[in-house]
Amino acid sequence: QNPKTSATVKQLLADGNAGELQKYFGSRMEFGTAGLRAAMGAGISHMNDLTIIQTTQGFCRYLEKNFSDLKKRGVVIGFDARAHLSSGGSSKRFARLAANTFISQGVPVYLFSDITPTPFVPYTVTHLKLCAGIMITASHNPKQDNGYKVYWENGAQIISPHDKGISQAIEENQEPWPQAWDDKLIDSSLLLHDPYAMVNKEYFKDIQKQCFHRNINKETNLKFVHTSVHGVGHKFVQLAFKAFDLSPPFAVPEQKDPDPEFPTVKYPNPEEGKGVLTLSFALAEKDGAKIILANDPDADRLAVAEKQESGEWKVFSGNELGALLGWWIFTCWKNNNRGTCAIKDVYMLSSTVSSKILRAIALKEGFHFEETLTGFKWMGNRAKQLMDQGKAVLFAFEEAIGYMCCPAVLDKDGVSAAVITAEMASFLATRNLSLSQQLKAVYDEYGFHITKASYFICHDPKVIQQLFDNLRNFNGKNTYPKSCGRFKVSGIRDLTTGYDSSQPDQKAILPTSKSSQMITFTFANGGVATMRTSGTEPKIKYYSELCAPPGNSDVEQLKKELDELVNALEEHFFQPEKNNLQRKTE
């Protein structure tokens, strides 16, 4: 019943354009643990009114099956500022249609009345003890995309088998229910609640538990620039600074208001490096700011840059900021929680493709470190398990600039991470230290951890499959590579097949998944490299790290060694020319 998508399909039929129709209707979007992520447009392979209705109907039936008190507790729904003129799709419209689906079945819905950061949805699930949460966002994807992200009652993203159960329920509930299209019905319903004001008050109260240096914050001369990259973050980061008694950061004027066209950037992804930060650098130079904080459009990620003595800007990698925040949060805990919780009950987490710097800090300081599979769904669920056992989970991060600094949100949160980074920088400034200098101090104390990550773009799933098959049958059937150029392979873990050469029974400890590719190679020189496919983009990613024990300070030599390892990895394992892979371009 959407006139725009309907007209698109009718036109394709009239033109007899079978190829395009096949693209639109050939296969349904797959509902996975990350929910849905696809372009907005017509057909079952895209995000549109109909596929949102069908998805929510399936999700609603699945929740009814799992929660006898669903009609008492309800669900929360949030949305970002994405919109797609040609198909009439927008995050707000999708959120209203989803709310209408639940309300039609007598389920209370806490629908935010305005755009919010993604972390506000898991926060609301936990805070109001709801059954589930939905966030309509495509995070930092290109502007034509949208997504449907799902949280369980524990406040973490869903993990298997929920994705399979929801997927099956969607298949069984494809016919729109009566009144499914009429989202105006919700406005007069007693089951509709708006959590916006309450969450904006409670969230900022909760993150203040991570504020330890209010007096320094009030007096610091350090200036910050913030960009929300045309997304939702501006207002919320301003409020977070206020909650910590910091002067508000200078906002990049061209990027502070939500704009679904993302007009000033090629990709709205701060992970892509300096290109996204061009306007931030200019504003920082003009206003004399030393530090730039950049959120992605749904404000769950954070990139940080700092002006160096040389006048150059350094953009910290996700691993470097993870090292700094891990050090800072542990230091604050140590100085402020003596006696309230034993160090043996303190935990930090990171994903298996992230730097092992937290492991080094944990070993020396005496707390626990655990690694999980890639993605905050794993860290959020594990954190909740540990918290339920009375443990304190201080921090979790992954290299894709995602940080969980506050136990009130069991997912990455770019708002709390931004203000905690600002407090850390303000504190360090009182000691005449920059973030870069402190990072070096962390590495000096706990050992250098040099990392390098990148990706290749590949739109052909067959080529990706072949590339990984080749690695599993490198020198004959079922043999992995014994070396990569001059680098000897000393261990292999394949989380697609469940093989791990380092375990006595050769079985991997972390959960395995046949639906995604992921192989980790350990090298005799202490290097580690992981190759994996992306769940949301047509990419084959790689992550590499060299760890040195404390005291080995020849960083340039370590960097050179890692560069050579990465070059060998690309040449021998990726074979970009043979496989026609497109390199990441800055």
Side-chain angles (χ1 to χ4, degrees):
Q1 293 184 27
N2 176 323
K4 289 186 171 176
T5 47
S6 178
T8 304
V9 176
K10 283 175 183 157
Q11 189 58 54
L12 289 170
L13 277 167
D15 298 345
N17 191 335
E20 281 300 293
L21 286 166
Q22 180 64 33
K23 255 191 234 165
Y24 288 2
F25 293 95
S27 62
R28 173 171 289 282
M29 285 179 291
E30 208 172 306
F31 190 97
T33 49
L36 298 172
R37 185 83 62 93
M40 291 179 268
I44 58 171
S45 62
H46 291 123
M47 300 282 293
N48 55 54
D49 293 2
L50 175 65
T51 50
I52 290 290
I53 289 168
Q54 292 172 326
T55 300
T56 311
Q57 290 181 170
F59 188 33
C60 180
R61 287 288 178 259
Y62 185 75
L63 289 173
E64 285 169 348
K65 218 161 60 180
N66 279 274
F67 297 102
S68 57
D69 54 357
L70 176 65
K71 290 184 178 171
K72 203 169 89 197
R73 290 163 67 192
V75 300
V76 56
I77 302 175
F79 55 92
D80 68 10
R82 285 177 179 258
H84 189 242
L85 283 176
S86 63
S87 71
S90 73
S91 296
K92 184 172 187 172
R93 169 146 183 83
F94 294 162
R96 284 179 61 85
L97 286 168
N100 187 40
T101 302
F102 279 107
I103 285 172
S104 75
Q105 304 304 298
V107 177
V109 172
Y110 294 81
L111 172 68
F112 281 98
S113 52
D114 203 350
I115 55 172
T116 62
T118 292
F120 279 26
V121 168
Y123 177 82
T124 308
V125 172
T126 307
H127 196 76
L128 296 178
K129 300 184 171 56
L130 306 180
C131 293
I134 298 167
M135 179 70 191
I136 308 289
T137 179
S139 191
H140 55 258
N141 271 39
K143 64 181 182 183
Q144 67 273 15
D145 288 1
N146 216 326
Y148 187 107
K149 195 172 183 180
V150 173
Y151 296 86
W152 202 242
E153 67 162 341
N154 63 357
Q157 287 177 59
I158 57 162
I159 49 175
S160 211
H162 293 312
D163 55 330
K164 312 260 187 314
I166 296 166
S167 198
Q168 195 185 334
I170 295 168
E171 292 292 333
E172 293 161 4
N173 289 279
Q174 291 189 10
E175 177 75 30
W177 299 334
Q179 302 174 317
W181 299 89
D182 193 1
D183 65 308
K184 288 190 189 66
L185 293 171
I186 64 174
D187 296 319
S188 56
S189 171
L190 295 174
L191 293 171
L192 183 74
H193 309 280
D194 177 12
Y196 191 86
M198 179 276 298
V199 170
N200 269 296
K201 195 170 104 210
E202 297 298 323
Y203 170 86
F204 292 105
K205 214 159 51 184
D206 270 339
I207 65 168
Q208 286 180 57
K209 292 170 190 158
Q210 315 304 315
C211 175
F212 297 107
H213 297 281
R214 210 170 270 286
N215 291 339
I216 289 173
N217 296 347
K218 281 178 186 164
E219 287 168 13
T220 184
N221 296 321
L222 207 54
K223 292 178 181 171
F224 300 89
V225 158
H226 174 250
T227 177
S228 45
V229 193
H230 304 294
V232 304
H234 169 71
K235 174 183 171 181
F236 304 99
V237 169
Q238 296 279 326
L239 287 169
F241 267 62
K242 194 174 162 190
F244 272 52
D245 276 324
L246 284 154
S247 298
F250 299 110
V252 176
E254 303 91 331
Q255 295 178 334
K256 81 179 175 63
D257 297 323
D259 186 336
E261 291 300 313
F262 305 111
T264 65
V265 291
K266 191 176 171 192
Y267 300 108
N269 182 1
E271 253 188 294
E272 294 288 340
K274 292 190 170 173
V276 183
L277 300 177
T278 309
L279 292 169
S280 302
F281 294 140
L283 181 65
E285 299 287 358
K286 179 170 131 306
D287 289 335
K290 277 249 173 73
I291 291 174
I292 289 166
L293 304 165
N295 288 123
D296 67 342
D298 67 329
D300 64 351
R301 283 181 166 87
L302 174 74
V304 177
E306 180 183 56
K307 194 171 188 183
Q308 306 298 291
E309 291 291 313
S310 64
E312 287 287 300
W313 283 93
K314 173 181 170 60
V315 182
F316 293 94
S317 71
N319 285 323
E320 290 173 330
L321 192 56
L324 280 167
L325 284 168
W327 161 79
W328 173 249
I329 287 166
F330 178 71
T331 304
C332 292
W333 176 84
K334 201 165 62 173
N335 295 338
N336 293 280
N337 287 290
R338 280 274 176 235
T340 54
C341 167
I343 196 156
K344 67 175 174 47
D345 291 329
V346 168
Y347 281 74
M348 287 195 185
L349 312 174
S350 71
S351 67
T352 182
V353 296
S354 303
S355 168
K356 298 294 172 281
I357 183 66
L358 296 184
R359 182 179 64 191
I361 300 175
L363 278 170
K364 192 163 179 184
E365 300 292 349
F367 63 89
H368 292 273
F369 164 73
E370 280 190 17
E371 71 168 12
T372 70
L373 287 179
T374 317
F376 260 87
K377 60 188 176 200
W378 298 105
M379 284 183 276
N381 278 284
R382 181 62 184 141
K384 180 72 173 110
Q385 281 177 346
L386 289 166
M387 284 154 67
D388 287 347
Q389 294 163 21
K391 311 296 185 198
V393 180
L394 297 187
F395 178 58
F397 91 96
E398 71 175 358
E399 54 68 48
I401 62 173
Y403 313 95
M404 181 181 114
C405 304
C406 173
V409 175
L410 294 178
D411 198 9
K412 54 186 179 288
D413 179 355
V415 178
S416 60
V419 74
I420 288 167
T421 300
E423 178 172 88
M424 166 171 63
S426 302
F427 173 85
L428 288 169
T430 65
R431 307 281 154 96
N432 287 324
L433 286 168
S434 66
L435 292 174
S436 308
Q437 287 165 328
Q438 180 56 38
L439 180 66
K440 185 175 181 316
V442 170
Y443 287 148
D444 282 339
E445 186 165 351
Y446 302 107
F448 272 86
H449 287 60
I450 312 283
T451 59
K452 197 170 184 182
S454 190
Y455 60 79
F456 288 95
I457 294 172
C458 180
H459 291 281
D460 186 348
K462 283 197 199 73
V463 170
I464 295 176
Q465 184 64 50
Q466 216 173 336
L467 187 150
F468 281 92
D469 283 348
N470 179 44
L471 291 170
R472 294 187 182 104
N473 303 281
F474 206 73
N475 303 307
K477 199 166 164 49
N478 294 333
T479 61
Y480 291 89
K482 290 187 169 56
S483 64
C484 180
R486 72 174 178 84
F487 299 96
K488 190 174 174 306
V489 173
S490 59
I492 286 151
R493 183 186 64 188
D494 187 335
L495 289 180
T496 307
T497 64
Y499 170 76
D500 187 341
S501 66
S502 70
Q503 295 301 321
D505 60 359
Q506 307 220 313
K507 287 193 170 74
I509 294 167
L510 286 174
T512 58
S513 166
K514 288 186 172 53
S515 61
S516 58
Q517 302 283 354
M518 181 160 169
I519 306 177
T520 300
F521 299 93
T522 306
F523 295 93
N525 69 343
V528 179
T530 296
M531 295 169 61
R532 66 178 275 263
T533 46
S534 163
T536 51
E537 298 163 300
K539 292 175 177 175
I540 314 171
K541 300 181 169 186
Y542 68 79
Y543 312 81
S544 61
E545 178 166 42
L546 258 183
C547 308
N552 177 354
S553 55
D554 191 350
V555 189
E556 290 316 309
Q557 181 50 39
L558 286 169
K559 280 184 181 161
K560 188 167 165 278
E561 178 95 349
L562 187 62
D563 284 343
E564 286 178 23
L565 176 60
V566 165
N567 291 340
L569 190 75
E570 290 193 351
E571 184 187 336
H572 299 286
F573 288 3
F574 278 96
Q575 302 177 306
E577 282 70 35
K578 181 187 151 194
N579 289 312
N580 200 14
L581 306 176
Q582 189 187 331
R583 285 176 187 277
K584 171 186 175 176
T585 49
E586 270 308 324

